[in-house]
Structures are given as structure tokens and as C-alpha cells.
Amino acid sequence: MRVVALQNLKEGAVLSRDVRDINGRLMLSKGQKVDANHIRIFKIWGIPEVYTQAEENADGFITSDKDVEKLAKTEHTVKMLLQNVDTHHPGIEVIYQTAVEHRYKNHLWGNYGASQPLPKNFKLDLSSAIKSQIDFSSMPLPEVPQIITAFTKVANDPTSSSNDIADVVSRSASLSLLLLNLVNSSYYGSVSRIDTIARAVTMVGIKEVSDLVMGIEIMRFFHKIPGDLIDVNTFRRHSLACGLMCRILAAHKGLQHTERLFLSGLLHDAGRLVWYRYFAEQAKMVLYMAQKTGLALYEVEKECLGISHEQIAGYLFRKWRLPFGLENNVVYHHDPISAPNPIEAGIVHMADIAVNALGLGHSGEHIIPHFDSKAWDLAAIAPGTLFTAILQTNEQLDAMEALLAEEWH
Ligand SMILES: [Fe+2]
Ligand SMILES: [Fe+2]
């Protein structure tokens, strides 16, 4: 089964679910073949998406026994990733389907589960030992980089002008070039060429440029992660994909602060960067325990370190005086319904799950810990919108990564 946004629906597709209008009136039953007239009527009635049967034997998707075996392996990978999640939920169905398709085409499957079966009544016994090694209440969090202070100062001052923020950006030649490249890329889709920082700021907005550039600089700050823990580029790809998807979903929802959502997605796992960077020995132990036990890294880190990565991010963002909206979106990305703004935190939550399921980069997690369906209901994202957002994220990701490569290396 696959969900197809109406603009992508082709004649000849066979429905796997009834199509009903907004009042529940049956328009076309399951098992029927869709023709041009049906598509026209669905458009008139504003049907956003329909469920169709998987196109096996099409586009070389399934052609041999080897492919069947490959598909089974891929499906197993995605099922293991989503083992804590209700896969019958309409949003998760979309994620499952797109994840299987993406991972199948890109050979992204792995061996999931515990490397050794857990003994009966297993309990993590390293918790007290590790907890005693990290006292997070007096944890020496890194000092805020100067450039971040400069951006927050300008962004929080109501009298700031475009020139003030342009001045801060212009202090770094590479950042200036990056901003110009970004505003002239498909990310912003400007019609005419923008060739000065001042014009770029006028076009994008003071707060938006500040959010965008702050996120990029914070990710750059954490570049020295020991390679035996996690590949920093893989971590950044996970973060960037999440940021892009948040921004796209926010735009679909007509939310005002799309860059704030980009920043929230980009930095959602920044707490992990802190322990990867500053507590490498503990990080090694936590990763090892998650792999050994087959438990979600999210659960193991809380058990072993006595603190979650969202809480660590909260401490860091408060110390660095980053905006509250950002802090809340990040702190609640695994529990969005408790957030002061559950719609924004819910978008980060959904985007993180989708990015993890598709294997767009990696933050160290190998199991989705939890899915908050109440936040999904509040955010009211149509499955077709999520489907389109996943496709658009995938389309933008490589180009955006290439743009950022120089700044991040
Ligand atoms: Fe997370
Ligand atoms: Fe994540």
C-alpha cells in the first residue's frame, strides 16, 4: 500500500482504500482502477491524497527473487526502527512506505536488534557508575561563540536594522558567501539575483537571517566529534534533513517562523553533540550499551547518564541565551504535547521520526523511541502533506549539504 498525493496520482492506479469526500460520502471504492475522470472529480472535491496498491513490477522495483529478498530485508529494517510506534497511524503509514522505498533504492538496511540476547530480568547495571562520572548540574558547558552573541544581540534588539545584521554577517567572508549562495538557491527561490548581504537580509528578514546563520554556526562549533563515536557528517545530515523538513512542514501549515522551525530541526539533537564532544568516554559506553541491548539510545542515555539529550540542550541554550521558542521546540521534541507550543514541537517530532526512518543521516539512534499521536492531531498535517514534505526534503538535502560543506569544514 502507498499513499499518493493527488498531484502525483496516475490513471490506472488501483485503490487500496475507499476514497471518501469530507462528509464521508463514498466516491470510489477500494479495488477500483482510477481513470482521468476520477482524478478530475477528486481535484474538484479537494481530496488531498489516496491510498493505492504498491506498484510491484513497476520501475524495476521488484523484478527478481533477489529483489524480493532485498525488499524483505529493507522492510525488516524499517519495522525494527518503528517497533515502538503504531504503524497503523496514517502519518506513520506514510513514513513507513516512504522509508521502505527510499532505503530499498539506496541500499540502506542494517542489522537491528540486540547483538546478544538479553538475560532475563536484565537491568542496566552501569547506570550508577556512569552517573557518578557526570555531574550535569555543574557541567562545564562550552562558552557561547562570539558570533552567536552578536547575532542574538541584534535579533533581540527591536531597533535593529537590516544593516546591523548585515554587518555581523559581513565579519565572516565564508558566512557572507554562504548567505548569498543560499538566497540565490532553490532554498529561497528568488527570481532575481541577490548580490549584496544587505539585500539578502532585506529579502529574508532580520530574525530569519539571524536564525538561519545561528543554526549553521552552532553546528560548525561542534565539529570536533571523535570519529569512533559517530561520523560528524552523518550527524549533520540527520540534523539538516530534520531542519529542512521542519521548514517545509511549517510552510505547508502557513506558520510565520519557518526559519525558527529550520533552526529547531537543525539543532534538535544538539544535546547529543555536547556529550559526544565533551564526554566521549561516557558517550562510548552509552552507544555500546544501546547496541548491545537493542534498546533505544534515548532510553539508554537517560538510564546511564541520568539526563536526556533534550535537557542538556536546554541547559546549553539557556546559557547561550538562545530564543525561548527554539529552546522549547528542542527540549520537547520527544514529548511535544507537553511543549508550550505543541504544534511547532510536534513538527520537529514528526520530522525527526521521518528522517530517522528514511536513514537520512544518523544521530546515533537506531530505534524510534516514541510517537506522540496527540501532537500529530494538534499539528493537523494531512498524510499527503507529510508525503510531499518527505519528497521535497529529499530533493533539497544534497544541494543544501553541498552549499554548507565549506562553512562546516
Ligand atoms: Fe532526539
Ligand atoms: Fe534526531
Side-chain angles (χ1 to χ4, degrees):
M1 182 169 62
R2 50 191 289 144
V3 62
V4 181
L6 204 68
Q7 66 266 31
N8 299 325
L9 183 61
K10 302 250 167 42
E11 286 178 53
V14 179
L15 295 179
S16 63
R17 280 190 186 179
D18 293 343
V19 176
R20 294 179 182 274
D21 68 10
I22 198 161
N23 300 314
R25 192 174 54 120
L26 182 66
M27 302 186 76
L28 195 62
S29 345
K30 170 181 168 182
Q32 298 288 308
K33 214 176 235 188
V34 175
D35 64 24
N37 207 26
H38 296 133
I39 297 176
R40 197 172 59 80
I41 293 167
F42 293 165
K43 276 187 187 153
I44 293 169
W45 283 92
I47 306 290
E49 78 270 325
V50 299
Y51 289 81
T52 66
Q53 290 174 6
E55 291 168 34
E56 292 185 6
N57 298 320
D59 300 332
F61 195 59
I62 304 287
T63 52
S64 66
D65 285 353
K66 226 174 165 191
D67 289 341
V68 172
E69 198 185 302
K70 198 172 114 180
L71 181 63
K73 225 167 156 185
T74 313
E75 282 179 332
H76 177 71
T77 299
V78 179
K79 275 180 192 152
M80 291 309 290
L81 265 158
L82 296 171
Q83 61 186 269
N84 296 330
V85 173
D86 171 15
T87 45
H88 298 298
H89 185 280
I92 299 296
E93 270 187 358
V94 170
I95 290 177
Y96 177 84
Q97 171 217 311
T98 45
V100 169
E101 204 161 317
H102 179 80
R103 283 177 176 270
Y104 179 88
K105 285 181 183 157
N106 294 282
H107 312 279
L108 295 170
W109 56 77
N111 294 320
Y112 284 87
S115 58
Q116 280 174 14
L118 293 174
K120 270 190 183 155
N121 305 322
F122 171 83
K123 183 112 182 60
L124 289 174
D125 57 357
L126 289 167
S127 56
S128 54
I130 293 183
K131 266 180 201 163
S132 66
Q133 291 171 30
I134 301 182
D135 177 5
F136 277 97
S137 57
S138 57
M139 186 173 119
L141 286 168
E143 291 304 321
V144 58
Q146 260 186 358
I147 194 154
I148 303 297
T149 313
F151 279 118
T152 44
K153 212 172 148 201
V154 176
N156 292 333
D157 182 349
T159 63
S160 292
S161 67
S162 305
N163 285 339
D164 294 324
I165 197 95
D167 278 351
V168 182
V169 175
S170 304
R171 286 179 209 167
S172 159
S174 62
L175 202 53
S176 304
L177 183 65
L178 173 63
L179 183 62
L180 287 179
N181 284 338
L182 275 173
V183 291
N184 287 302
S185 74
S186 59
Y187 184 76
Y188 280 109
S190 89
V191 184
S192 57
R193 175 124 198 116
I194 310 283
D195 45 18
T196 67
I197 298 297
R199 272 198 69 205
V201 177
T202 310
M203 182 192 135
V204 178
I206 295 176
K207 277 202 167 19
E208 286 69 20
V209 166
S210 168
D211 281 351
L212 181 69
V213 176
M214 228 162 34
I216 292 167
E217 287 305 294
I218 291 173
M219 289 303 286
R220 189 168 74 100
F221 178 79
F222 288 102
H223 66 285
K224 280 187 190 153
I225 294 179
D228 58 342
L229 288 177
I230 193 160
D231 173 32
V232 69
N233 293 320
T234 311
F235 190 97
R236 284 170 171 170
R237 188 170 167 83
H238 171 79
S239 308
L240 186 57
C242 189
L244 288 173
M245 200 177 296
C246 287
R247 183 179 189 263
I248 293 166
L249 287 171
H252 276 292
K253 289 248 4 131
L255 299 185
Q256 257 190 332
H257 306 295
T258 51
E259 284 330 320
R260 174 61 45 87
L261 263 298
F262 171 75
L263 182 63
S264 305
L266 185 70
L267 299 179
H268 75 284
D269 279 337
R272 281 206 177 125
L273 286 172
V274 172
W275 51 260
Y276 283 141
R277 170 77 179 81
Y278 296 97
F279 298 95
E281 279 314 305
Q282 288 88 343
K284 210 175 275 177
M285 191 59 82
V286 171
L287 288 169
Y288 171 78
M289 286 301 286
Q291 199 252 331
K292 195 90 175 157
T293 59
L295 295 169
L297 181 65
Y298 178 69
E299 299 302 338
V300 177
E301 73 185 37
K302 275 196 297 188
E303 189 67 34
C304 289
L305 304 177
I307 190 168
S308 67
H309 63 283
E310 312 97 272
Q311 286 171 297
I312 298 176
Y315 286 141
L316 183 74
F317 291 4
R318 273 193 293 281
K319 177 170 178 176
W320 287 10
R321 297 179 187 277
L322 300 184
F324 286 124
L326 162 71
E327 181 189 318
N328 287 329
N329 290 347
V330 170
V331 167
Y332 291 97
H333 78 271
H334 286 290
D335 180 22
I337 202 67
S338 307
N341 188 333
I343 294 182
E344 288 195 2
I347 287 177
V348 184
H349 180 67
M350 285 308 297
D352 183 33
I353 293 176
V355 164
N356 265 320
L358 266 80
L360 303 175
H362 205 250
S363 72
E365 188 58 274
H366 60 148
I367 292 174
I368 311 290
H370 164 71
F371 164 61
D372 192 334
S373 64
K374 284 188 192 142
W376 162 273
D377 292 343
L378 257 184
I381 298 166
T385 304
L386 179 63
F387 179 74
T388 309
I390 292 173
L391 293 188
Q392 289 175 339
T393 301
N394 233 338
E395 278 166 18
Q396 292 184 8
L397 185 57
D398 288 346
M400 189 69 173
E401 217 175 16
L403 272 179
L404 289 167
E406 210 159 304
E407 186 65 16
W408 277 354
H409 281 100

